[in-house]
Amino acid sequence: MTEGSEVVPGTTPETALETPQQADRARTIFEKSVPGRRAARLAEAGIEERPLDELIPADLLRDEPPGLPEVSEPEIVRHYNRLSRRNFDLDTGFYPLGSCTMKYNPRLNERVAALPSFSRLHPATNPEDAQGALELMFLLQEALSEICGLPHVSLQPSAGSQGELAGLLLTRAWQADKGRNPTKVLTPDTAHGTNPASVAMAGYEAVKVATNPSGGVDLDDLRSKLDGDVACLMLTNPNTLGLFDPNISEIAGLVHDEGGLLYYDGANLNAIMGLARPGDMGFDIVHVNLHKSFSQPHGGGGPGAGPIAVSETVEPFLPRPQVVRRPGSAGVPEFDLDFDRPKSIGRMRGFQGNFGVFVRSFAYILSLGGDGLREASEGAVLNANYLRKRLSEGRAGRYLPIGFDQPCMHEFVLSGGPMKKELGLKTLDLAKRILDFGFHPPTVYFPQLVEEALMIEPVETESRETLDSFADAIEQILEEAERDPEIAMGAPYTTPVRRLDEVGATRNPVLREAA
Amino acid sequence: MAGYSPLTDSDREAMLGALGLDSVDQLFETVPEQVRLDRPLDLAPGAPENEVFDRMSELASRNRDPEADPCFLGAGMYDHYVPAIVDAITSRSEFLTPYTPYQPEVSQGGLQVMFEFQTAMSELTGLPVSNAGLYEGASAAAAAAYMAIGATGRHRLIVSRGLHPHAREALATHAVGFGCEIEEVGLAGGLTDPDDLARALDDETAVVFLQNPNFLGSVEDLAGLSEVAHARGALVAASVDPVTLGILESPGKCGVDIAFGEGQALGNRLDFGGPSFAFFCAGEEHLRRMPGRIAGETTDVDGRRGFVLALQTREQHIRREKATSNICTSQALNALAGMIHLAWLGKQGLVELGALLARRTAFARDQISAIEGFEPLHDAPVVREFAVRSTAVPVEMLRVGGDQAGRPLAVYPLARDLPEFGDSFLVAITEQRSIDDIHWLVDSLRESASGARPSFNGNRIGTTDAEPRKAA
């Protein structure tokens, strides 16, 4: 049985079955509170119970306890288990969300991250008592350095967007060290929204560079915008259209000639591991999303981690502390935190970064090895091209043409423009109907330069049968829409709730349970 | 190695055939020769699961054994007990493996958790608007600065020296990009000096950063300090410890405009520093400048109650360079752990926990102060952590059982962060630190101060031999 086949296509509002769970009005844990109920039982202090206001002046103490719920432990477990069943997740079904690299999250990684000597290790533990953790970080730095083709790595940034901001602050420090103070950063018009947002937070002006007819950077436009006032160019390669920009070396030369740096957004690294390296393409600073290419679970919106790899000349500015290996000598720990970095931009965050994520990603790298990482990227690109081919046939080919018609890397972008014009169906409608077939929809309406965009990233951990069933489902939905587009316009029908009023939620925000 | 991919050779062949290709290499023809890697990655070959497990266990074994001796390290991250239900719930695939809830119809679980989390954080902080979480405590200070600059149009930040040194440093790092200056306000008697604050304030000050309890563990007079700041039109942003908010006055009631903080103590393990989460709350007037994800209540087409990501027009994917922040994670799984822990503690439990910590902390401070060679760094009130000056021996000589060849005592030396207190250290108390553990610490400190006594044989000293370590 394939994934989509358990859903009856053509389910309409009239025939949709509402489960008791769906009929149940969503109630929060606060609404389930009953005075006097409790779960935790705490220890006695074990000493004389002095009145609190003897210890802390009464005017600094609270009169009323915070309005937390009063619930028993079984109720908490049932509440959150029931909530969990209102989520779609990667372990249950295909999740081809473009630019997000929804690859399988190995359970081994969860097991090793939970080892008490990792999970209960305090971040301020004296380095001599944390040699295993520091060595792991050092080895992960080395592995990421090799994969990115750049000699130095800081693991500190908490996520891709913090990696971007760190990279831009590194750029600022690097430029200032050369006595320069450029004001602009170039980003392609296909860039992820975090790029310009990070540019603004780093105090730069974001300037857009146009895309050429084959999906790459428009070199003429780039030349016209490059001058001594450009601090850096931020790129993904392959870009957000899933295309590798073949002019990358020329682009790097142009940027470097004007004294700028080249920044690599690693969101799409899953296409090229072991095949091509950002450093070899001329990039100076790279961030890596460990929650994408290196299998950290996304957790419903975090945690992740966004380490950065940099070239030799950028290294002095890396955030501190940096994990280093010292020549072994008596009384000096071999692996240590180096705070003595006078040119460092400083900390981006507290302590050493998201170590629990490092454990999972390092276990993933050990499991796959160098060859396995290359095979993973090859598999991701093969799966993307196979699905692209399947979706170029039949109705999908007619209503959902590919935005840029050429072999893709790990993802590709279709345009729902013809579907909208001929069937009256928007990309949003298609996405919502896909939910009824048991799949997560692709990323929609991004990148913005493709009309009614659908961005599809099938990843290497999906089988051919899954890709086939997804392509079949799209065909079925389009065939259904030819007969009756209203069905998709009213979708979804089989989900815990149906289409939600998002505009109303923003116009009249209700952001917490009323007291 | 399979690399978790189901593709077999015959799958590959069939799929390449459908594409009219003979080899996978042909798919990479758009990658120019000169940037292709012409050798294998210089990494070890892949390994079977049991070998990877063994390798990772071996690395773990070279860290401090959390069962070995009591940990009194704090400084923003604390060794609290994590209830079993946190693991049971957060390890469910439905919470562990989805992406950010971009398709709300199939993300109601995660979105409702965010809504509940926001409610809980508003209750703790006494401020009406909460987001769904940020990365962690120190960088949340930078997010607060960005918001305050936008809200006031001013470009000066004032930072109490009682703010966590990592937050102070993260602010300094980010301030370069924000184009603003930072001025520091000193401590007097372990507390932010209100006169120094009044002196530092001017009409260009966007926000004053405080912490409560502050880095030295002292409970600040947030209301009094807020009044001083507001008198010059500056906002007040306070980093607060959520575990203390069962007993300490809420920052909202003290007049704080932005309350944020490290959330690790709620439901998250130490993990050598992360991942954890931060919370971030503010007044209604700042709603449209909030950083990060926010869930909001709404209805579906059938009138059923549901939740969505609200106010997305603040965010980077729509506003791009005009966004209120570049942040697009809410640390959803860590925030869920925090929410479960809070529900487990409940209304009474959080108060009881705060009281338990305050009593044991006062006890530990009294006991340590009674030892020759140690004195409290200040007399300000404390809740769960306090600073001690070591007058007889340097802090790095404080060893388990006083044995100079032994392991360092797990206390936090202040020398790196606050060199003016180079002879002092922090002691943090959680519910996992029993009275026996405190006696053990007192013994170790006494032995360390009275000169090395090389008799330590790995057993505990004093009254604590019978006390087993609890697993978290």
Side-chain angles (χ1 to χ4, degrees), chain A residues 91 104-116 118-119 294-299 303 356-357 359-361 363-364, chain B residues 4 49 53 87 90-92 96-97 271 333:
Chain A
D91 282 346
Y104 172 66
N105 309 132
R107 285 311 189 273
L108 166 65
N109 303 354
E110 299 305 307
R111 177 178 283 183
V112 294
L115 290 169
F118 287 141
S119 69
F294 297 96
S295 82
Q296 160 70 23
H298 284 84
V357 178
V359 175
R360 290 174 178 84
S361 293
Y364 179 76
Chain B
Y4 306 105
E49 179 165 334
F53 181 83
D87 295 340
T90 58
S91 60
R92 287 183 67 94
L96 183 69
T97 69
D271 281 322
L333 197 69

mmCIF file of all heavy atoms in Angstrom, chain A residues 91 104-116 118-119 294-299 303 356-357 359-361 363-364, chain B residues 4 49 53 87 90-92 96-97 271 333:
data_model
loop_
_atom_site.group_PDB
_atom_site.id
_atom_site.type_symbol
_atom_site.label_atom_id
_atom_site.label_comp_id
_atom_site.label_asym_id
_atom_site.label_seq_id
_atom_site.Cartn_x
_atom_site.Cartn_y
_atom_site.Cartn_z
ATOM 1 N N ASP A 91 8.118 11.194 10.473
ATOM 2 C CA ASP A 91 8.142 9.752 10.678
ATOM 3 C C ASP A 91 6.877 9.087 10.144
ATOM 4 O O ASP A 91 6.829 7.877 9.989
ATOM 5 C CB ASP A 91 8.283 9.417 12.176
ATOM 6 C CG ASP A 91 9.724 9.589 12.656
ATOM 7 O OD1 ASP A 91 10.619 9.702 11.803
ATOM 8 O OD2 ASP A 91 9.925 9.628 13.877
ATOM 9 N N TYR A 104 15.336 11.764 7.104
ATOM 10 C CA TYR A 104 15.105 10.904 8.269
ATOM 11 C C TYR A 104 16.037 11.295 9.425
ATOM 12 O O TYR A 104 17.215 11.596 9.219
ATOM 13 C CB TYR A 104 15.351 9.449 7.862
ATOM 14 C CG TYR A 104 15.333 8.493 9.023
ATOM 15 C CD1 TYR A 104 14.164 8.269 9.733
ATOM 16 C CD2 TYR A 104 16.499 7.841 9.425
ATOM 17 C CE1 TYR A 104 14.161 7.403 10.816
ATOM 18 C CE2 TYR A 104 16.496 6.966 10.500
ATOM 19 C CZ TYR A 104 15.321 6.767 11.195
ATOM 20 O OH TYR A 104 15.326 5.919 12.276
ATOM 21 N N ASN A 105 15.507 11.271 10.626
ATOM 22 C CA ASN A 105 16.265 11.585 11.841
ATOM 23 C C ASN A 105 16.625 10.281 12.545
ATOM 24 O O ASN A 105 15.780 9.695 13.219
ATOM 25 C CB ASN A 105 15.442 12.457 12.789
ATOM 26 C CG ASN A 105 14.846 13.688 12.119
ATOM 27 O OD1 ASN A 105 13.656 13.960 12.288
ATOM 28 N ND2 ASN A 105 15.633 14.401 11.347
ATOM 29 N N PRO A 106 17.862 9.812 12.390
ATOM 30 C CA PRO A 106 18.216 8.500 12.955
ATOM 31 C C PRO A 106 18.017 8.442 14.469
ATOM 32 O O PRO A 106 18.416 9.352 15.194
ATOM 33 C CB PRO A 106 19.692 8.352 12.590
ATOM 34 C CG PRO A 106 19.889 9.251 11.414
ATOM 35 C CD PRO A 106 18.978 10.413 11.656
ATOM 36 N N ARG A 107 17.441 7.342 14.932
ATOM 37 C CA ARG A 107 17.172 7.226 16.358
ATOM 38 C C ARG A 107 18.444 6.973 17.160
ATOM 39 O O ARG A 107 18.502 7.274 18.353
ATOM 40 C CB ARG A 107 16.141 6.134 16.611
ATOM 41 C CG ARG A 107 14.750 6.581 16.227
ATOM 42 C CD ARG A 107 14.458 7.947 16.846
ATOM 43 N NE ARG A 107 13.079 8.351 16.701
ATOM 44 C CZ ARG A 107 12.565 8.988 15.665
ATOM 45 N NH1 ARG A 107 13.350 9.311 14.635
ATOM 46 N NH2 ARG A 107 11.303 9.319 15.621
ATOM 47 N N LEU A 108 19.463 6.421 16.507
ATOM 48 C CA LEU A 108 20.740 6.271 17.196
ATOM 49 C C LEU A 108 21.192 7.624 17.754
ATOM 50 O O LEU A 108 21.722 7.712 18.865
ATOM 51 C CB LEU A 108 21.808 5.738 16.217
ATOM 52 C CG LEU A 108 23.257 5.847 16.709
ATOM 53 C CD1 LEU A 108 23.492 4.963 17.933
ATOM 54 C CD2 LEU A 108 24.225 5.501 15.593
ATOM 55 N N ASN A 109 20.996 8.662 16.976
ATOM 56 C CA ASN A 109 21.470 9.992 17.381
ATOM 57 C C ASN A 109 20.774 10.462 18.654
ATOM 58 O O ASN A 109 21.379 11.113 19.508
ATOM 59 C CB ASN A 109 21.246 11.006 16.261
ATOM 60 C CG ASN A 109 21.920 10.587 14.964
ATOM 61 O OD1 ASN A 109 22.645 9.598 14.938
ATOM 62 N ND2 ASN A 109 21.671 11.327 13.902
ATOM 63 N N GLU A 110 19.497 10.114 18.778
ATOM 64 C CA GLU A 110 18.763 10.478 19.997
ATOM 65 C C GLU A 110 19.333 9.702 21.189
ATOM 66 O O GLU A 110 19.480 10.240 22.284
ATOM 67 C CB GLU A 110 17.273 10.158 19.839
ATOM 68 C CG GLU A 110 16.598 10.914 18.699
ATOM 69 C CD GLU A 110 16.789 12.411 18.823
ATOM 70 O OE1 GLU A 110 16.484 12.977 19.884
ATOM 71 O OE2 GLU A 110 17.273 13.029 17.840
ATOM 72 N N ARG A 111 19.648 8.453 20.928
ATOM 73 C CA ARG A 111 20.161 7.611 22.019
ATOM 74 C C ARG A 111 21.503 8.153 22.529
ATOM 75 O O ARG A 111 21.712 8.269 23.733
ATOM 76 C CB ARG A 111 20.306 6.167 21.538
ATOM 77 C CG ARG A 111 20.890 5.256 22.584
ATOM 78 C CD ARG A 111 20.976 3.816 22.110
ATOM 79 N NE ARG A 111 19.672 3.161 22.151
ATOM 80 C CZ ARG A 111 19.479 1.881 21.844
ATOM 81 N NH1 ARG A 111 20.497 1.143 21.449
ATOM 82 N NH2 ARG A 111 18.285 1.352 21.917
ATOM 83 N N VAL A 112 22.406 8.474 21.626
ATOM 84 C CA VAL A 112 23.721 8.912 22.103
ATOM 85 C C VAL A 112 23.652 10.319 22.709
ATOM 86 O O VAL A 112 24.377 10.625 23.661
ATOM 87 C CB VAL A 112 24.817 8.828 21.007
ATOM 88 C CG1 VAL A 112 25.068 7.375 20.643
ATOM 89 C CG2 VAL A 112 24.472 9.651 19.780
ATOM 90 N N ALA A 113 22.759 11.152 22.190
ATOM 91 C CA ALA A 113 22.641 12.501 22.770
ATOM 92 C C ALA A 113 22.130 12.433 24.205
ATOM 93 O O ALA A 113 22.382 13.335 25.007
ATOM 94 C CB ALA A 113 21.727 13.371 21.911
ATOM 95 N N ALA A 114 21.404 11.347 24.526
ATOM 96 C CA ALA A 114 20.838 11.221 25.871
ATOM 97 C C ALA A 114 21.811 10.597 26.867
ATOM 98 O O ALA A 114 21.479 10.470 28.052
ATOM 99 C CB ALA A 114 19.552 10.393 25.812
ATOM 100 N N LEU A 115 23.000 10.205 26.426
ATOM 101 C CA LEU A 115 23.969 9.645 27.384
ATOM 102 C C LEU A 115 24.206 10.664 28.499
ATOM 103 O O LEU A 115 24.501 11.838 28.221
ATOM 104 C CB LEU A 115 25.291 9.333 26.671
ATOM 105 C CG LEU A 115 25.267 8.150 25.685
ATOM 106 C CD1 LEU A 115 26.550 8.124 24.849
ATOM 107 C CD2 LEU A 115 25.068 6.829 26.416
ATOM 108 N N PRO A 116 24.067 10.245 29.762
ATOM 109 C CA PRO A 116 24.117 11.229 30.852
ATOM 110 C C PRO A 116 25.395 12.069 30.884
ATOM 111 O O PRO A 116 25.352 13.237 31.264
ATOM 112 C CB PRO A 116 23.992 10.367 32.107
ATOM 113 C CG PRO A 116 23.295 9.128 31.655
ATOM 114 C CD PRO A 116 23.743 8.892 30.237
ATOM 115 N N PHE A 118 26.892 13.286 28.459
ATOM 116 C CA PHE A 118 26.678 14.419 27.555
ATOM 117 C C PHE A 118 25.546 15.304 28.082
ATOM 118 O O PHE A 118 25.693 16.505 28.244
ATOM 119 C CB PHE A 118 26.288 13.954 26.149
ATOM 120 C CG PHE A 118 27.402 13.339 25.342
ATOM 121 C CD1 PHE A 118 27.164 12.250 24.528
ATOM 122 C CD2 PHE A 118 28.691 13.872 25.367
ATOM 123 C CE1 PHE A 118 28.182 11.681 23.758
ATOM 124 C CE2 PHE A 118 29.711 13.314 24.598
ATOM 125 C CZ PHE A 118 29.449 12.218 23.794
ATOM 126 N N SER A 119 24.390 14.672 28.331
ATOM 127 C CA SER A 119 23.183 15.475 28.558
ATOM 128 C C SER A 119 23.194 16.181 29.910
ATOM 129 O O SER A 119 22.543 17.200 30.071
ATOM 130 C CB SER A 119 21.937 14.605 28.418
ATOM 131 O OG SER A 119 21.850 13.687 29.478
ATOM 132 N N PHE A 294 22.538 17.505 8.218
ATOM 133 C CA PHE A 294 23.158 16.594 9.186
ATOM 134 C C PHE A 294 22.169 16.030 10.203
ATOM 135 O O PHE A 294 22.537 15.712 11.332
ATOM 136 C CB PHE A 294 24.378 17.263 9.828
ATOM 137 C CG PHE A 294 25.442 17.571 8.792
ATOM 138 C CD1 PHE A 294 25.532 18.822 8.219
ATOM 139 C CD2 PHE A 294 26.301 16.580 8.353
ATOM 140 C CE1 PHE A 294 26.472 19.105 7.228
ATOM 141 C CE2 PHE A 294 27.247 16.840 7.363
ATOM 142 C CZ PHE A 294 27.337 18.110 6.793
ATOM 143 N N SER A 295 20.920 15.934 9.795
ATOM 144 C CA SER A 295 19.905 15.043 10.376
ATOM 145 C C SER A 295 19.405 15.366 11.778
ATOM 146 O O SER A 295 18.711 14.565 12.377
ATOM 147 C CB SER A 295 20.382 13.576 10.337
ATOM 148 O OG SER A 295 21.246 13.270 11.417
ATOM 149 N N GLN A 296 19.757 16.539 12.319
ATOM 150 C CA GLN A 296 19.137 16.940 13.586
ATOM 151 C C GLN A 296 17.625 17.087 13.368
ATOM 152 O O GLN A 296 17.206 17.754 12.424
ATOM 153 C CB GLN A 296 19.741 18.279 14.032
ATOM 154 C CG GLN A 296 18.914 19.078 15.038
ATOM 155 C CD GLN A 296 18.857 18.463 16.430
ATOM 156 O OE1 GLN A 296 19.731 17.693 16.803
ATOM 157 N NE2 GLN A 296 17.829 18.793 17.184
ATOM 158 N N PRO A 297 16.795 16.467 14.215
ATOM 159 C CA PRO A 297 15.343 16.630 14.048
ATOM 160 C C PRO A 297 14.923 18.097 14.136
ATOM 161 O O PRO A 297 15.491 18.856 14.923
ATOM 162 C CB PRO A 297 14.758 15.837 15.222
ATOM 163 C CG PRO A 297 15.841 14.935 15.690
ATOM 164 C CD PRO A 297 17.133 15.594 15.359
ATOM 165 N N HIS A 298 13.900 18.472 13.360
ATOM 166 C CA HIS A 298 13.490 19.878 13.346
ATOM 167 C C HIS A 298 12.652 20.266 14.566
ATOM 168 O O HIS A 298 12.478 21.453 14.832
ATOM 169 C CB HIS A 298 12.738 20.200 12.058
ATOM 170 C CG HIS A 298 13.649 20.343 10.869
ATOM 171 N ND1 HIS A 298 14.093 19.268 10.142
ATOM 172 C CD2 HIS A 298 14.217 21.430 10.306
ATOM 173 C CE1 HIS A 298 14.891 19.692 9.168
ATOM 174 N NE2 HIS A 298 14.987 21.000 9.247
ATOM 175 N N GLY A 299 12.098 19.289 15.252
ATOM 176 C CA GLY A 299 11.440 19.584 16.524
ATOM 177 C C GLY A 299 10.192 20.462 16.437
ATOM 178 O O GLY A 299 9.791 21.039 17.431
ATOM 179 N N PRO A 303 15.044 22.673 18.079
ATOM 180 C CA PRO A 303 16.327 23.343 17.904
ATOM 181 C C PRO A 303 17.067 22.911 16.636
ATOM 182 O O PRO A 303 16.798 21.867 16.080
ATOM 183 C CB PRO A 303 17.122 22.858 19.124
ATOM 184 C CG PRO A 303 16.624 21.458 19.336
ATOM 185 C CD PRO A 303 15.160 21.522 18.980
ATOM 186 N N GLY A 356 23.989 19.516 22.174
ATOM 187 C CA GLY A 356 23.163 18.330 21.917
ATOM 188 C C GLY A 356 22.964 18.094 20.424
ATOM 189 O O GLY A 356 22.872 16.949 19.966
ATOM 190 N N VAL A 357 22.916 19.182 19.669
ATOM 191 C CA VAL A 357 22.804 19.075 18.211
ATOM 192 C C VAL A 357 24.129 18.577 17.622
ATOM 193 O O VAL A 357 24.145 17.772 16.691
ATOM 194 C CB VAL A 357 22.394 20.430 17.606
ATOM 195 C CG1 VAL A 357 22.317 20.358 16.085
ATOM 196 C CG2 VAL A 357 21.067 20.900 18.191
ATOM 197 N N VAL A 359 26.216 16.567 19.010
ATOM 198 C CA VAL A 359 26.320 15.129 19.257
ATOM 199 C C VAL A 359 25.586 14.359 18.163
ATOM 200 O O VAL A 359 26.115 13.414 17.571
ATOM 201 C CB VAL A 359 25.739 14.762 20.641
ATOM 202 C CG1 VAL A 359 25.748 13.255 20.843
ATOM 203 C CG2 VAL A 359 26.528 15.445 21.756
ATOM 204 N N ARG A 360 24.364 14.785 17.869
ATOM 205 C CA ARG A 360 23.570 14.072 16.857
ATOM 206 C C ARG A 360 24.235 14.154 15.485
ATOM 207 O O ARG A 360 24.322 13.161 14.757
ATOM 208 C CB ARG A 360 22.164 14.664 16.794
ATOM 209 C CG ARG A 360 21.329 14.360 18.036
ATOM 210 C CD ARG A 360 19.994 15.110 17.979
ATOM 211 N NE ARG A 360 19.141 14.808 19.116
ATOM 212 C CZ ARG A 360 19.222 15.415 20.298
ATOM 213 N NH1 ARG A 360 20.131 16.362 20.500
ATOM 214 N NH2 ARG A 360 18.399 15.087 21.275
ATOM 215 N N SER A 361 24.700 15.343 15.128
ATOM 216 C CA SER A 361 25.270 15.505 13.785
ATOM 217 C C SER A 361 26.598 14.775 13.662
ATOM 218 O O SER A 361 26.923 14.238 12.596
ATOM 219 C CB SER A 361 25.439 16.991 13.457
ATOM 220 O OG SER A 361 24.165 17.577 13.343
ATOM 221 N N ALA A 363 27.354 12.006 15.276
ATOM 222 C CA ALA A 363 26.986 10.585 15.135
ATOM 223 C C ALA A 363 26.545 10.297 13.696
ATOM 224 O O ALA A 363 26.865 9.241 13.134
ATOM 225 C CB ALA A 363 25.874 10.226 16.118
ATOM 226 N N TYR A 364 25.853 11.236 13.110
ATOM 227 C CA TYR A 364 25.406 11.068 11.716
ATOM 228 C C TYR A 364 26.607 10.997 10.775
ATOM 229 O O TYR A 364 26.667 10.136 9.883
ATOM 230 C CB TYR A 364 24.495 12.240 11.349
ATOM 231 C CG TYR A 364 23.986 12.219 9.925
ATOM 232 C CD1 TYR A 364 22.957 11.348 9.547
ATOM 233 C CD2 TYR A 364 24.508 13.068 8.957
ATOM 234 C CE1 TYR A 364 22.477 11.327 8.249
ATOM 235 C CE2 TYR A 364 24.033 13.067 7.660
ATOM 236 C CZ TYR A 364 23.015 12.185 7.308
ATOM 237 O OH TYR A 364 22.546 12.174 6.008
ATOM 238 N N TYR B 4 20.953 5.488 5.404
ATOM 239 C CA TYR B 4 19.519 5.656 5.637
ATOM 240 C C TYR B 4 18.734 5.887 4.348
ATOM 241 O O TYR B 4 17.620 6.379 4.379
ATOM 242 C CB TYR B 4 19.250 6.796 6.631
ATOM 243 C CG TYR B 4 19.998 6.640 7.937
ATOM 244 C CD1 TYR B 4 21.114 7.421 8.223
ATOM 245 C CD2 TYR B 4 19.598 5.695 8.878
ATOM 246 C CE1 TYR B 4 21.800 7.277 9.414
ATOM 247 C CE2 TYR B 4 20.286 5.545 10.079
ATOM 248 C CZ TYR B 4 21.393 6.333 10.338
ATOM 249 O OH TYR B 4 22.067 6.192 11.522
ATOM 250 N N GLU B 49 25.946 0.779 13.266
ATOM 251 C CA GLU B 49 25.342 1.493 14.395
ATOM 252 C C GLU B 49 26.012 1.164 15.722
ATOM 253 O O GLU B 49 26.288 2.064 16.527
ATOM 254 C CB GLU B 49 23.838 1.194 14.468
ATOM 255 C CG GLU B 49 23.178 1.896 15.640
ATOM 256 C CD GLU B 49 21.663 1.950 15.574
ATOM 257 O OE1 GLU B 49 21.083 1.916 14.479
ATOM 258 O OE2 GLU B 49 21.049 2.058 16.657
ATOM 259 N N PHE B 53 27.793 3.813 18.226
ATOM 260 C CA PHE B 53 27.368 3.932 19.626
ATOM 261 C C PHE B 53 28.568 3.811 20.564
ATOM 262 O O PHE B 53 28.723 4.604 21.498
ATOM 263 C CB PHE B 53 26.310 2.880 19.973
ATOM 264 C CG PHE B 53 25.834 2.993 21.393
ATOM 265 C CD1 PHE B 53 24.844 3.899 21.731
ATOM 266 C CD2 PHE B 53 26.420 2.238 22.400
ATOM 267 C CE1 PHE B 53 24.439 4.038 23.063
ATOM 268 C CE2 PHE B 53 26.018 2.372 23.725
ATOM 269 C CZ PHE B 53 25.022 3.280 24.052
ATOM 270 N N ASP B 87 10.511 13.492 28.798
ATOM 271 C CA ASP B 87 11.131 12.625 27.786
ATOM 272 C C ASP B 87 10.070 11.857 26.998
ATOM 273 O O ASP B 87 10.168 11.704 25.786
ATOM 274 C CB ASP B 87 12.066 11.612 28.458
ATOM 275 C CG ASP B 87 13.248 12.296 29.124
ATOM 276 O OD1 ASP B 87 13.545 13.447 28.752
ATOM 277 O OD2 ASP B 87 13.859 11.683 30.013
ATOM 278 N N THR B 90 8.344 14.506 24.605
ATOM 279 C CA THR B 90 9.165 15.169 23.580
ATOM 280 C C THR B 90 9.816 14.168 22.629
ATOM 281 O O THR B 90 10.278 14.555 21.562
ATOM 282 C CB THR B 90 10.277 16.040 24.200
ATOM 283 O OG1 THR B 90 11.091 15.215 25.037
ATOM 284 C CG2 THR B 90 9.711 17.188 24.991
ATOM 285 N N SER B 91 9.861 12.886 22.996
ATOM 286 C CA SER B 91 10.455 11.924 22.067
ATOM 287 C C SER B 91 9.426 11.383 21.079
ATOM 288 O O SER B 91 9.767 10.596 20.201
ATOM 289 C CB SER B 91 11.110 10.776 22.832
ATOM 290 O OG SER B 91 10.159 10.100 23.611
ATOM 291 N N ARG B 92 8.191 11.785 21.195
ATOM 292 C CA ARG B 92 7.187 11.346 20.206
ATOM 293 C C ARG B 92 7.521 11.946 18.838
ATOM 294 O O ARG B 92 7.779 13.143 18.721
ATOM 295 C CB ARG B 92 5.788 11.790 20.635
ATOM 296 C CG ARG B 92 5.229 11.006 21.799
ATOM 297 C CD ARG B 92 3.809 11.449 22.107
ATOM 298 N NE ARG B 92 2.888 11.097 21.026
ATOM 299 C CZ ARG B 92 2.165 9.990 20.996
ATOM 300 N NH1 ARG B 92 2.224 9.129 21.986
ATOM 301 N NH2 ARG B 92 1.352 9.752 19.980
ATOM 302 N N LEU B 96 8.830 15.533 17.644
ATOM 303 C CA LEU B 96 10.263 15.559 17.357
ATOM 304 C C LEU B 96 10.568 15.904 15.902
ATOM 305 O O LEU B 96 11.529 16.622 15.622
ATOM 306 C CB LEU B 96 10.864 14.184 17.693
ATOM 307 C CG LEU B 96 12.378 14.023 17.527
ATOM 308 C CD1 LEU B 96 13.124 14.846 18.576
ATOM 309 C CD2 LEU B 96 12.777 12.553 17.641
ATOM 310 N N THR B 97 9.778 15.394 14.962
ATOM 311 C CA THR B 97 10.225 15.425 13.561
ATOM 312 C C THR B 97 9.539 16.408 12.614
ATOM 313 O O THR B 97 9.982 16.512 11.475
ATOM 314 C CB THR B 97 10.148 14.005 12.935
ATOM 315 O OG1 THR B 97 8.782 13.613 12.781
ATOM 316 C CG2 THR B 97 10.883 12.984 13.788
ATOM 317 N N ASP B 271 23.114 19.638 28.710
ATOM 318 C CA ASP B 271 23.625 19.443 27.352
ATOM 319 C C ASP B 271 24.861 20.280 27.050
ATOM 320 O O ASP B 271 25.033 20.734 25.910
ATOM 321 C CB ASP B 271 22.529 19.737 26.316
ATOM 322 C CG ASP B 271 21.541 18.586 26.166
ATOM 323 O OD1 ASP B 271 21.976 17.430 26.212
ATOM 324 O OD2 ASP B 271 20.332 18.857 26.018
ATOM 325 N N LEU B 333 10.758 22.356 20.346
ATOM 326 C CA LEU B 333 10.828 21.140 21.161
ATOM 327 C C LEU B 333 11.288 21.462 22.584
ATOM 328 O O LEU B 333 10.790 20.896 23.557
ATOM 329 C CB LEU B 333 11.788 20.141 20.504
ATOM 330 C CG LEU B 333 11.663 18.701 20.988
ATOM 331 C CD1 LEU B 333 10.342 18.081 20.539
ATOM 332 C CD2 LEU B 333 12.828 17.869 20.480
#
